[in-house]
Amino acid sequence: MDEVHLAVFHGSGIPMTIRKICITEIKVAPNEILGKMLYSSICGSDLHTIDGRRIEPTPSVLGHEGVAEVVISNRTEVEIGAKFTFSVIDSCSNCELCSRGLNQKCKSLFKYGHVTLSNGSSLNGCYASHILIRAGTHVVTIPEHINTKIVAPVNCALATVINALSDIETLTAASNPGTVLVQGDGLLGIYSCAWLSSHGYKVFCSGLISKRLELISQFGGSPLHAEDSSKLIEANSIDIVVEVCGAKSTVPEAMRVLKPGGLYILVGMIHPDSHLNLTAEMIMRKCLTIRGVHNYSGRHLQTAVEFLCSTSDKFAYEKLYDSYIYTLNNISKAIEAAQSLEYHRVLVKPF
């Protein structure tokens, strides 16, 4: 192909347009990679931007979840033709925050799908036929036997879950493994159930969408309709609550069910409408630990890919999005499908 196709976002309520760039105009600098997108997936944070609940600079190419194939590689360890995923951020690896393992908070942070077309090559997001991977971006290659469809959301949803859960045994007073309530039946909830159940935890997962809840048991969790949680889960009976639904209304239930010494992990409420009905006394009397998680670092992405590969025969990841695939020219229909909230992820492929 001689052209790169980009779905350009102009702002909330304005239709995206397809822009074409001659591929020979793309310059690949040292340690950069030009990738051909195989699949991208529509994250809830992109829907917030599209709906106007979160403001991002425009014009831009949205999308940060994806899997690609190497077209040009200026890294010796990454071969042409390899399938790969990548960190949603590019970082310097040298500043104070990077040295503390918080690359996602780097002082010179770049985030894919969150910058204007004028920033660099224009190939900054996944809703496109190609993407340019910058020099400070962590890349993980994918084994040939793994279905690339199931990899698309790994570099956001699963890597974030790994960051949230990988060291929980050091943050709770529970005798491990304990009992966990996952609040949210979306993809982060699914991944949380898979990870926790694989590590011996008893997992309940609450949500509101029946079609999503039907799959929870296939990933090691016991599904609960959120409205039934107060009837089915006793007070002070849960060691860990993992919030991945983005709804502040779930906080009182979390505080009710957590045991003294429990752990409350906030993952989903990364938006302004998240003022919590919570007092310091409620936290202190139960001796709770509350942890906020945003994005992840390269080691979490590495672990995420390893976990996906090691459990691809155990969990039916294909069922999460195998039937909901749209081409780039039909990006508006893909967004409508994602906005219905019926599906764990909607996939987009270039052509």
Side-chain angles (χ1 to χ4, degrees):
M1 174 185 288
D2 297 327
E3 292 181 323
V4 172
H5 291 223
L6 311 173
V8 180
F9 175 68
H10 301 279
S12 181
I14 305 172
M16 291 187 188
T17 57
I18 302 298
R19 181 175 298 185
K20 299 177 183 179
I21 301 174
C22 181
I23 199 167
T24 57
E25 296 179 17
I26 307 302
K27 307 303 179 185
V28 185
N31 290 316
E32 292 186 340
I33 297 169
L34 178 63
K36 177 176 66 176
M37 292 302 305
L38 301 175
Y39 295 97
S40 59
S41 47
I42 300 177
C43 178
S45 62
D46 284 334
L47 296 181
H48 291 164
T49 301
I50 291 165
D51 293 341
R53 285 179 285 169
R54 189 170 73 175
I55 304 300
E56 297 286 357
T58 57
S60 63
V61 177
L62 299 180
H64 51 271
E65 295 184 345
V67 57
E69 179 180 335
V70 178
V71 176
I72 299 173
S73 176
N74 285 338
R75 299 190 192 185
T76 56
E77 73 277 13
V78 181
E79 298 181 352
I80 293 174
K83 311 297 191 299
F84 71 95
T85 187
F86 53 92
S87 174
V88 296
I89 61 99
D90 183 88
S91 60
C92 72
S93 298
N94 296 314
C95 69
E96 175 200 357
L97 293 170
C98 285
S99 66
R100 289 167 50 195
L102 289 169
N103 298 67
Q104 70 270 36
K105 299 301 170 186
C106 174
K107 293 182 178 180
S108 56
L109 182 70
F110 168 90
K111 292 190 73 173
Y112 293 94
H114 293 270
V115 298
T116 63
L117 288 173
S118 60
N119 189 325
S121 67
S122 298
L123 277 63
N124 298 322
C126 291
Y127 302 158
S129 62
H130 293 73
I131 190 166
L132 186 69
I133 302 301
R134 300 190 175 199
T137 302
H138 190 82
V139 166
V140 182
T141 55
I142 308 301
E144 285 294 330
H145 71 278
I146 297 297
N147 183 344
T148 51
K149 292 177 187 176
I150 72 173
V151 180
V154 164
N155 69 330
C156 179
L158 182 53
T160 298
V161 165
I162 298 299
N163 184 17
L165 302 180
S166 57
D167 60 353
I168 55 176
E169 67 279 357
T170 66
L171 298 173
T172 175
S175 54
N176 291 307
T179 303
V180 183
L181 171 62
V182 176
Q183 295 179 313
D185 53 13
L187 189 58
L188 275 80
I190 285 278
Y191 284 147
S192 296
C193 289
W195 173 267
L196 290 162
S197 64
S198 295
H199 288 78
Y201 290 86
K202 181 179 180 180
V203 188
F204 297 99
C205 183
S206 65
L208 293 170
I209 301 174
S210 298
K211 190 171 183 178
R212 288 180 172 185
L213 285 170
E214 289 171 0
L215 288 174
I216 295 298
S217 61
Q218 298 182 40
F219 291 84
S222 297
L224 293 172
H225 195 281
E227 295 177 355
D228 296 330
S229 176
S230 61
K231 305 171 188 174
L232 300 176
I233 299 181
E234 294 181 1
N236 305 315
S237 64
I238 299 292
D239 297 294
I240 303 167
V241 174
V242 184
E243 177 277 314
V244 289
C245 61
K248 64 183 180 181
S249 59
T250 60
V251 173
E253 179 63 4
M255 299 301 293
R256 184 187 73 85
V257 301
L258 276 167
K259 293 178 181 179
L263 172 64
Y264 191 11
I265 306 176
L266 303 175
V267 184
M269 285 186 278
I270 188 69
H271 54 77
D273 186 21
S274 53
H275 289 279
L276 306 183
N277 183 17
L278 190 62
T279 65
E281 181 186 21
M282 295 166 69
I283 301 168
M284 296 163 67
R285 286 194 180 278
K286 277 197 170 185
C287 302
L288 300 179
T289 298
I290 297 182
R291 181 187 185 197
V293 174
H294 184 225
N295 295 149
Y296 58 87
S297 66
R299 70 183 186 276
H300 301 119
L301 179 60
Q302 188 74 44
T303 301
V305 172
E306 292 170 358
F307 178 73
L308 183 82
C309 293
S310 67
T311 59
S312 61
D313 292 332
K314 178 180 180 181
F315 298 123
Y317 294 112
E318 289 87 351
K319 287 186 178 181
L320 299 175
Y321 24 69
D322 211 22
S323 301
Y324 321 113
I325 303 173
Y326 296 82
T327 61
L328 200 61
N329 283 332
N330 290 313
I331 186 75
S332 60
K333 292 183 178 179
I335 291 167
E336 288 176 10
Q339 288 171 327
S340 75
L341 301 181
E342 290 186 30
Y343 315 112
H344 288 93
R345 276 300 188 271
V346 171
L347 300 186
V348 177
K349 61 180 182 178
F351 306 105

